[in-house]
Amino acid sequence: MPRPFIVGNWKMNLSLQEARILATALRKRLVGVEGVDVGVCPAFVFLMEICSILKGSGIFVGAQNMHWERKGAFTGEVSGEMLKEIGCTHVILGHSERRHVFGEIDQVINAKLRLAFALGLRPIFCLGEKPEERESGRTFQVVDRQLKAGLEGLEIEEVSLLTIAYEPVWAIGTGKNATPAQAEEVHSYIRGLLKKAYGEEVSSQVRIQYGGSVTPQNTAELLAQPEINGLLVGGASLKEETFLKIVSMAMEQLRSPI
Ligand code: 13P
């Protein structure tokens, strides 16, 4: 079983001072955390500061996006190489807000995934269906397309290092999380696709996180599902207490799996 991976996606939230306070508290209170990997993804402008606060703590720092080219005339964009240079180890790619608010298509996300691996960054690759896609019974079809297009051309060793986040769009920021059974059904489907394409060993190494209205109240039952290997947490990652509660529940789960 892959190590559980709990990541806070801070999105476009927090002031610099709030981000500093939160990172400092996480550093202090997660000293010696065992068995669970933890990461945070602050806004671009705070990454350098948060990387320096969390240096040597074992807490990973990731960006929320990057450009698909190494460098060049792309006003307003940030490159993967820049992220590496300041100490980021991870990068969220294909988040639904990037897909649906900023129009990122599968091919763009695929180019970003390839480049992230080429640069030695570990991508957290997000996918998930929109409400109307679920309602019309197209969830598997959408996930199938997003997964295959996203992973096109990746080396098998790269796939084994991947974290996938299943984030149904209807569950993000709505307070309406997928039920554990709904999430598990899609996670199993994703695992099945990976197994078919890359074999049992590689597919079992890929971590599949769930994201969408995760709170301390629903963490235990979500993580109790065999195919849910971690969580990508939005709103509940912005407060020290709720995020730490989620991490400590993941640790608890390891000690006493349901
Ligand atoms: P919420 O936890 O706020 O629903 O956000 C989920 C998400 O999009 C994480 O990437």
Side-chain angles (χ1 to χ4, degrees), residues 9 11 95 97 167 171-174 211-214 232-236:
N9 175 7
K11 306 192 181 181
H95 191 279
E97 287 142 22
E167 299 205 306
I172 296 178
T174 57
S213 298
V214 171
L232 185 53
V233 187

